[in-house]
Each structure stands twice: as structure tokens, then as C-alpha cells.
Amino acid sequence: MNRALPEMLHCLSGPGNGTDITVLERQRTRVKWQHQEQQNYFVGNFQDLVGDGRCGSVLRHVVTHSVKPDPGFEMNSTITRTSSCPHTEAQVAPEAKGKVSEPAEKMSSTVGRESYKKRKADKVQNTKVVAEDDAKDKRSKVCAEEGESKITTEQTRTKNTTTHPNNRETSADTSRENSKASEVQKPDYIHVRARRGQATDSHSLAERVRREKISERMKYLQDLVPGCNKVTGKAGMLDEIINYVQSLQRQVEFLSMKLATVNPRLDFNIEDLFAKEIFPACSANFPTIGSSSEMTNPAYLQINPAQQMVACCGLEMGVNTPDLMALRRTISAPVSLPETYFDASCFTQLQPPSTWDADLQNLFNLDSNQGRSISFPSQPFTGSIEASNLKMET
Amino acid sequence: MRSPSSLKQEFLKRWMRGLQRCTSSKKDMNVLERKKVIKLSADLAIASARNGTTSWSRALIANASRDNDNRILAERILGPESDILIKRVSTSVGTVSCNRKIRSKKILKRSCNSVRRVRKGTHLPQKVLAKSIAKRLVQKRTQILKRLVPGGEFMDELSLIEETLDYIAYLRAQVDVMRCIASATELINHD
């Protein structure tokens, strides 16, 4: 079975360096080979191979032959890789083509490792085979350090160093290139499906999941921060976010200073403010948040406050006035003063906490009576999202 | 969890309450003191509204109660439930400082490894250079963001972005409410 791959590769390389073969044939051979190799777990081999420094060059050779046909059916950003292929090809061509059995074993061992069950959050106890633990950890470090750039690994591949970590990298590359989708069977772990042409190594899987999460969050941030739609890429968006947060903080400082100057005595006359109906004018100042349709993703339950806020902010505009009227009513209820100024002494007499809580409950009741859904903390969140969805549609 | 207007109302209520508690003692304060009081009470208001669920709110409260004179003010503003809140915050902050040491060690290790790796490569093609440059840019910006968001220095990227989202929502609510009250009081004073 170990000989199968080299035979296939010889077939591939037979008619003119693998360029003339159709993609389909290559695919077929690769699938066949993978099916064969998935049965095998080569424990000891890996250690032998790792210790052997000669594998590197031969492996590179084998890999480039399998890499070159890739542009046909690799969907992720490996196009850059292929552009660097001629470079590697030129370097690798003069190397010897011998020692086929060793790379075959190595590749089979890597493929065997691919079919391991993948766990998402567990990095240390990952492999079933104990002997591979160290290798995998070091490889994961390599992966983590180099990020997702397959190009850097290619680059290191082309260098003519046969050192230990280099071998590990090349083996990682082979596993990456020859991998296909594999499934996780073990219960009570998060199931992640490896995408085609990507590494099925658990560490890279976990990394990819993490990256997807981050990009999801960044999308929400994009909706929240105005002016972020025009910029793409992490750095630009982070720039916008930083500017926005800084500007908001500066505004808070400025406004607090302004309030300090306007109020000589730090007493705020809420009753009077409401009486003058000034807040409806303010509601026009409330920022309009644009498309919130993307935010109503029921799968995304974690960043509740921001999401719900953006989703409901469009609804809030027209309803602000009755809200504040309700607030005024509830505030004025316990305060039956003919005068318009709240003094500190008055407040302390009124036992604020209990009345405020009652008022807040009234507020919620009023709001729900008006037909809007405000999610109480005890309510399940999906219900509120659906309700807000309905609101948006009507 | 909360609609923006209810968040604003909650914030307003707590803020006013805190201010009332604070002004009962001193009658004469200069502008800067007043500003400090206003800002502090606003910060504590929203932080307590979150009730210690988010990391930045805890960090805010922790920062507020770090200096002694600030602490007295903060305790007064927070009112009767301040002890519980501050205790909760301090316990969480304690774990954060432990994490800080572990994280700094990890960061040191990682940076050493990456430096070693970079030195090995003598000639890097354009794309690798571009990618590393982009990465460095993103890292720099993440560091800046970590400094901006309170309590953000010891978080990984994912939670940092979550905290930023929450923090932005809070800042917006705060700015809106303060602006309204400022304009309203201005109008009143002009009349």
C-alpha cells in the first residue's frame, strides 16, 4: 500500500511533468490513494521519518509535483501558492528522485493522522497516538506562528535546509495539500468539517474556527461603527473602530465639562426638562443606524446588547417620545412637588430604590403594551429576536 | 438584551441617582471637580447597569476605586450596593492580574520564537513581506484598541472584539443622554 502513491505519482509525472494530466485523473488517483491510506496508522514511521533529515528534499519534490496541478480545484487562497510554484519547481527539479519509499511512508503517516478525530478546543490531548504528540505540538506551534500563510511554508520548503523543524513544516504541508473533507465522529465535541484542500489538523481547524468567529464579530462591528463599510480588511476596520471609540470618549469628556459649566450646583432638573418637551427634539439627534437586517441572525446569541440595540434602534426613533413621557410620568408620580427643582433632600426622603424599580417595571409594562418587544433578561433570546424580526417586516 | 432606549433610561436613572448622592455633601465645587464627578458618576452608572457581566464594566469600576480619594467618591456614588459590587469586581480583577502574568510570559515566548524564525529567512518574497507587514499593522492596532477599552489589555482578540462592541454601545448611549441633557439645560437656562 505504501507503494501505491509513488506508482501513481510516477504515472502522473510520466507524461511530461504532470502538466498534461487532466485534473480529474489526478483527483481520482489522489482519492484512491487517500482511501487506501486512511486505514493505516503509522505510528513508528513518523518518528523515524522525523529523525531522518534526508526526507526534506525528496518530500519537497513530491509535494511540488502534487502542488502544481492544484490551481484547478483548490478554492481558497492558494492561487498565490501556485504562482510561486515555478520557482520551487526550478529549484527542486535537479534534486534526486530516489528514496520513494520514505516519502511515501511519511505521506501515508500524515494522511493517517488526518483521519484522526478532530477536537476543537483541546490542543494537548489531541492525538490518539502518543508518539505523535510532541510532533504535533511543535507543528501546531509552527502553524500558529506562521499563521495561515501557506506561502511562508512554501518558502521555507524551498530553502535547502534539512533541519528538524523544516521537516515538520514540510510534513504539515503535505498533509494540508492532500487533505479532503473529513468528519468528526466523537460525541460532546464541537464538530468542525475541514474544507477541501485545507488542513485537517486539529490545530489549524481550531484556528480556522477562531478566525471565522473573529470575522463574524468584525462584521457586527462594521454595522455598529459608521463609515466602516467602505473599508475592508482588518487593519482598516480596526482603524475606524479606534477612531470611533476615541471620538466617543472625547465627546463624553467634553459633554461632562459642558454640563459642569452649565450647572453651578450639579442638580439636574429632569421634571422641568420633560415638561418643556425638549427630548423629542433630542430624539432627532439620535444616530440613525442603517441596515440592521444582517444583525438579526438567530445563531448569534452572544453579543446580545449590541445586536439587539442595532436591530431595535430603527424602531426606537418614533417611539422615543412616548417612552420619555412614560419616564416623566413615572418620575413625577413619587415627586408631588409643586416646585420644579429636585433637591437632594427630597430624593432621600422618597426611598429611591423601591420607587425607581416600580417605575422601571411600569416602563416595561408600558412598552410592552405599546406592542414592542423588550426582552426581559429571563426571556429566551431567540423569542425576542424573532419578535424584532416581525417588527422589522411590518 | 436591552433596547437602546431602555439602556439610556437605565443609565439616566442611575446617573441622576449617583449625582444626587454626591452633591448632598459638598456644595461648592469648581468646574473641574464637577466635571470629574459628572463623568465618574456617568461611568459608574453604566458600569453598574451592566452589573459586572462584561469585563470592561468591571475594569471601569476597578479603576475608579483604585485611588483612595476616587474610591470614596465612587463608593458614595454607588450607594448602598457598592460594597458587594466592589468586592465582586476585585475578585475578578485579581484573576485578571494572574492571567496577566501568564499572558505576558506567553507573549514573550511567542515573540522570541517569531524573531528567531524571521532571522532564518534571509530573502522573503513580496507576498510574505506584505503579509507580515499587514499582520504587524493589525497587531499594532489591536494594541491601541486594547489600551482604549478599559480592562482590555489582558484579553485575546475574540473577547476584545466582543468587549469593544459592548463598550461602543454604552458610549453611544452615554453620549446621547448627556447631549440631550446638556442641550436641555442650556435651553432652560436661556429662557
Side-chain angles (χ1 to χ4, degrees), chain A residues 80 83 141-142 145-149 151-152 155 159 165 169 210 213-214 217-218 220-221 224-226 234-236 238-239 241-242 244-246 248-249 251-253 255-266 268-270 272-273 276 278-279 282 285-287 289 300 302-306 308-309 312-313 316 320 323 327 342-344 347 352-353 356-357 360 363-364 372 374-375 381, chain B residues 1-10 12-13 15-17 19-24 27 29-35 37-39 42-43 50 80 110 113-114 117 120-125 127-128 131 134-135 137-142 144-145 148-150 156-158 161-162 164-189 191:
Chain A
T80 46
S83 57
K141 253 194 232 164
V142 166
E145 281 158 17
E146 298 185 340
E148 45 184 319
S149 61
I151 295 162
T152 54
Q155 187 51 42
K159 281 176 212 121
E169 287 164 36
R210 180 184 147 268
K213 270 193 186 173
I214 287 181
R217 304 280 199 276
M218 297 287 262
Y220 285 113
L221 270 173
L224 203 59
V225 174
K234 253 188 181 178
L238 277 173
D239 220 12
I241 291 165
I242 287 170
Y244 191 56
V245 169
Q246 272 176 344
L248 282 176
Q249 282 177 342
Q251 274 182 31
V252 166
E253 297 264 343
L255 280 170
S256 60
M257 182 60 122
K258 188 171 176 191
L259 279 171
T261 55
V262 156
N263 263 315
R265 271 196 304 151
L266 270 191
F268 292 93
N269 175 18
I270 302 185
D272 204 19
L273 296 177
K276 297 243 174 175
I278 291 169
F279 275 94
C282 286
N285 295 338
F286 293 154
I289 298 175
Y300 186 65
Q302 282 176 11
I303 310 184
N304 294 342
Q308 185 79 353
M309 283 169 93
C312 293
C313 206
E316 300 301 314
N320 258 321
D323 268 348
L327 185 60
F342 281 125
D343 284 326
F347 240 89
W356 276 115
D357 288 339
L360 204 57
L363 276 175
F364 278 129
R372 277 172 44 245
I374 298 179
S375 57
F381 191 66
Chain B
M1 217 176 294
R2 286 190 199 142
S3 54
S5 74
S6 78
L7 177 69
K8 285 176 192 159
Q9 286 155 9
E10 175 87 14
L12 182 66
K13 163 191 107 170
W15 186 29
M16 291 299 133
R17 222 198 297 175
L19 275 176
Q20 301 288 350
R21 283 202 197 105
C22 203
T23 55
S24 51
K27 282 300 172 183
M29 282 189 266
N30 61 0
V31 182
L32 290 172
E33 268 183 36
R34 266 181 272 148
K35 173 214 164 198
V37 164
I38 288 173
K39 179 151 190 290
D43 287 342
R50 283 282 183 248
R110 240 181 251 154
N113 287 339
S114 63
R117 192 153 298 286
K120 267 189 180 172
T122 48
H123 167 64
L124 302 170
K127 285 149 206 146
V128 180
K131 269 219 171 180
K135 238 193 238 179
L137 281 178
V138 169
Q139 272 175 2
K140 261 193 210 163
R141 288 188 179 128
T142 338
I144 298 176
L145 190 61
L148 277 182
V149 176
D156 57 328
E157 244 184 74
L158 198 62
I161 295 182
E162 276 190 45
T164 315
L165 270 175
D166 214 27
Y167 189 55
I168 286 179
Y170 145 64
L171 278 178
R172 249 210 198 139
Q174 191 184 27
V175 163
D176 286 338
V177 170
M178 287 176 104
R179 198 182 288 152
C180 276
I181 293 200
S183 57
T185 46
E186 259 188 11
L187 281 170
I188 289 179
N189 288 355
D191 295 342

Side-chain angles (χ1 to χ4, degrees), chain A residues 28-63:
Chain A
R28 255 187 242 139
T29 52
R30 202 179 284 193
V31 168
K32 257 188 265 170
W33 169 73
Q34 257 201 329
H35 278 314
Q36 286 172 5
E37 298 306 310
Q38 260 183 1
Q39 326 266 327
N40 308 330
Y41 289 88
F42 289 93
V43 177
N45 283 342
F46 185 75
Q47 273 193 328
D48 298 339
L49 294 168
V50 159
D52 194 347
R54 294 164 296 168
C55 287
S57 55
V58 192
L59 204 54
R60 245 176 278 138
H61 163 77
V62 165
V63 157

Side-chain angles (χ1 to χ4, degrees), chain A residues 36 62 106 116 134 153 159 164 170 182 327 334 348:
Chain A
Q36 286 172 5
V62 165
K106 194 166 188 180
Y116 282 173
D134 301 333
T153 56
K159 281 176 212 121
H164 213 41
T170 52
S182 57
L327 185 60
T348 50

Side-chain angles (χ1 to χ4, degrees), chain B residues 47-168:
Chain B
S48 59
R50 283 282 183 248
N51 233 357
T53 46
T54 51
S55 173
W56 61 262
S57 57
R58 283 181 291 216
L60 257 183
I61 298 179
N63 288 341
S65 35
R66 199 171 293 157
D67 325 323
N68 272 335
D69 44 339
N70 260 359
R71 189 194 179 105
I72 302 169
L73 204 61
E75 275 175 7
R76 206 188 308 142
I77 289 177
L78 283 174
E81 69 264 9
S82 64
D83 295 331
I84 310 165
L85 202 57
I86 290 184
K87 248 182 244 170
R88 206 190 311 168
V89 161
S90 52
T91 49
S92 57
V93 165
T95 52
V96 164
S97 58
C98 292
N99 292 341
R100 184 203 308 188
K101 287 179 196 162
I102 301 171
R103 281 227 178 83
S104 56
K105 281 185 195 159
K106 277 189 192 167
I107 292 169
L108 204 60
K109 264 190 219 165
R110 240 181 251 154
S111 62
C112 288
N113 287 339
S114 63
V115 160
R116 231 183 290 139
R117 192 153 298 286
V118 165
R119 277 206 208 112
K120 267 189 180 172
T122 48
H123 167 64
L124 302 170
Q126 286 261 320
K127 285 149 206 146
V128 180
L129 266 177
K131 269 219 171 180
S132 60
I133 288 173
K135 238 193 238 179
R136 227 169 283 154
L137 281 178
V138 169
Q139 272 175 2
K140 261 193 210 163
R141 288 188 179 128
T142 338
Q143 274 175 13
I144 298 176
L145 190 61
K146 282 184 178 174
R147 256 179 266 139
L148 277 182
V149 176
E153 292 103 9
F154 317 118
M155 285 192 272
D156 57 328
E157 244 184 74
L158 198 62
S159 37
L160 177 70
I161 295 182
E162 276 190 45
E163 297 289 324
T164 315
L165 270 175
D166 214 27
Y167 189 55
I168 286 179

